[in-house]
Amino acid sequence: MESLESIEGNERYVFERADICNNIEIRRIFNQHQPDVVMHLAAESHVDRSIEGPGEFIQTNIMGTYQLLEQSRLYYSGLEDRKKGEFRFHHISTDEVYGDLGATEILFTEKTSYDPSSPYSASKASSDHLVRAWQRTFNLPTLITNCSNNYGPYQFPEKLIPLMILNALEGRELPIYGDGNQIRDWLYVDDHARALLHVALSGEVGETYNIGGHNEMKNIEVIKKICSILDELCPSKIKGVTSYEKLITYVDDRVGHDVRYAIDASKIKTELNWMPHETFETGIRKTVQWYLDNRTWSDHVQDGSYQSQKLEGI
Ligand code: DAU
């Protein structure tokens, strides 16, 4: 709830805590709030967790998407024609559905075949297929976006970038899986959010749009960059650690680790006039500064107390 503090007082904001698999609750929420657009961002999203326990990924990502589609279809069928024309179900997905590019120069386009590697990406691929089927079979007006790796404020510290920042500040090891030469295409979270609005408001029904930052980097380069910004903004006081880079530790590789992801985002640029505003250089600096300025937020995530925060002001 602390992530939402800045908008708590906004009269256009309402929060409902519900499980997307709970069709009774979802039906009530649709009827009560009468949405024009549904943006479906609810997912189990961490690859390592999906390897440790795939069950929740199957349940939330596949069954949850099915329930949301069904409740949307029910709600949509009861709308008057004008509202029907405006309604959109926007499914937010990942570039991981396309699989691993290996050491090639190829980019993922909207036409790349699906080839997911992990239980997480397989569950997201499955949910994408459900969304396309509901559009084709039931004429539900859907849109799909597949985005590359996000980073920025408020990211849960299981993901690479916040994990490295917080581990460094705590003097803990910075674990690099395998040789650290895997490549990801990094996009600042605000750029992703703007892209989602472009698609939800102006995208063509039934279409898919890839979203990416053209910021391909090796994991080891990302971690060294974080260390150098931290060395500058918050020099280490840890004994024997003159630079945070000294904390880098190579560990066993992730099982089935995808070597490279890279997005061709030319469709959303050409058709919807979207461009990322941040370079990796500007975005990562803002991100490191945000984690330095918001230690209470990350403390509450790390000690688990965020889960029992009261739903105040709602
Ligand atoms: O491509 C989009 C996807 O990006 C999203 O769909 C996923 O929800 C999101 O988790 C992310 O997947 P990745 O597996 O690429 O992100 P993650 O932050 O877990 O890892 C990024 C890279 O860093 C990956 O090659 C694994 C590596 N890594 C990760 C962690 C957590 C490490 O070397 N050490 C680590 O401790």
Side-chain angles (χ1 to χ4, degrees):
M1 296 313 295
E2 282 173 27
S3 305
L4 295 164
E5 262 173 17
S6 66
I7 55 159
E8 244 172 30
N10 191 317
E11 60 182 26
R12 298 175 63 204
Y13 159 73
V14 181
F15 183 88
E16 295 269 8
R17 177 177 272 178
D19 182 343
I20 55 166
C21 297
N22 182 339
N23 57 356
I24 294 167
E25 269 296 272
I26 299 298
R27 192 172 311 161
R28 176 190 65 75
I29 290 167
F30 270 89
N31 289 336
Q32 191 171 328
H33 299 293
Q34 300 278 309
D36 298 317
V37 176
V38 174
M39 297 176 84
H40 173 26
L41 293 117
E44 292 288 343
S45 69
H46 196 49
V47 175
D48 295 327
R49 283 185 201 255
S50 82
I51 296 167
E52 281 155 27
E56 285 184 27
F57 288 72
I58 305 304
Q59 181 63 16
T60 300
N61 299 356
I62 304 179
M63 294 307 291
T65 300
Y66 159 69
Q67 290 294 359
L68 267 188
L69 282 166
E70 275 299 78
Q71 292 313 313
S72 298
R73 181 160 82 96
L74 188 70
Y75 167 76
Y76 176 73
S77 68
L79 292 176
E80 61 186 51
D81 282 352
R82 187 188 57 79
K83 281 207 93 176
K84 264 196 177 138
E86 286 165 5
F87 184 81
R88 299 285 181 270
F89 182 97
H90 178 180
H91 179 60
I92 286 80
S93 191
T94 169
D95 61 356
E96 295 200 18
V97 298
Y98 300 124
D100 185 2
L101 286 170
T104 62
E105 296 292 308
I106 300 165
L107 302 175
F108 297 132
T109 74
E110 288 79 0
K111 298 214 165 14
T112 303
S113 302
Y114 276 31
D115 189 17
S117 309
S118 69
Y120 159 66
S121 52
S123 69
K124 289 297 286 185
S126 178
S127 64
D128 292 8
H129 289 321
L130 292 177
V131 174
R132 287 202 180 89
W134 260 243
Q135 198 269 321
R136 168 117 188 193
T137 309
F138 303 117
N139 278 324
L140 189 70
T142 65
L143 299 153
I144 298 179
T145 48
N146 296 88
C147 189
S148 61
N149 284 62
N150 278 213
Y151 69 101
Y154 299 109
Q155 189 168 32
F156 203 83
E158 61 190 356
K159 310 283 197 241
L160 180 73
I161 288 180
L163 183 76
M164 295 299 147
I165 298 171
L166 295 174
N167 274 13
L169 291 174
E170 286 157 15
R172 298 217 298 245
E173 289 180 348
L174 308 179
I176 299 203
Y177 298 163
D179 60 9
N181 285 325
Q182 299 81 10
I183 293 172
R184 297 291 182 268
D185 176 0
W186 294 97
L187 182 69
Y188 191 68
V189 62
D190 288 358
D191 281 327
H192 188 192
R194 275 191 312 103
L196 296 184
L197 275 179
H198 272 65
V199 173
L201 301 177
S202 318
E204 196 164 321
V205 168
E207 288 294 315
T208 295
Y209 298 88
N210 280 353
I211 308 170
H214 282 300
N215 275 315
E216 278 187 59
M217 289 181 77
K218 290 182 177 168
N219 292 340
I220 183 68
E221 292 167 352
V222 171
I223 296 169
K224 285 188 172 168
K225 183 80 209 166
I226 292 169
C227 290
S228 83
I229 297 174
L230 279 173
D231 285 340
E232 180 194 325
L233 298 180
C234 182
S236 163
K237 296 194 188 79
I238 306 153
K239 209 169 162 224
V241 180
T242 44
S243 161
Y244 290 102
E245 270 196 32
K246 293 215 167 195
L247 297 170
I248 293 176
T249 310
Y250 288 88
V251 299
D252 287 347
D253 209 351
R254 174 184 277 173
V255 187
H257 201 168
D258 285 338
V259 175
R260 174 172 166 257
Y261 306 139
I263 279 273
D264 176 349
S266 48
K267 178 173 172 183
I268 187 171
K269 283 181 187 158
T270 320
E271 295 184 14
L272 302 182
N273 201 21
W274 170 85
M275 288 279 283
H277 288 169
E278 299 289 344
T279 61
F280 189 73
E281 194 65 38
T282 58
I284 193 67
R285 194 163 270 278
K286 282 188 190 177
T287 304
V288 172
Q289 188 66 58
W290 188 87
Y291 279 93
L292 285 172
D293 294 342
N294 290 274
R295 293 303 295 275
T296 314
W297 181 89
S298 46
D299 286 348
H300 290 168
V301 173
Q302 285 173 311
D303 68 17
S305 60
Y306 77 100
Q307 285 181 318
S308 51
Q309 276 163 17
K310 282 211 213 99
L311 307 180
E312 277 161 11
I314 289 151

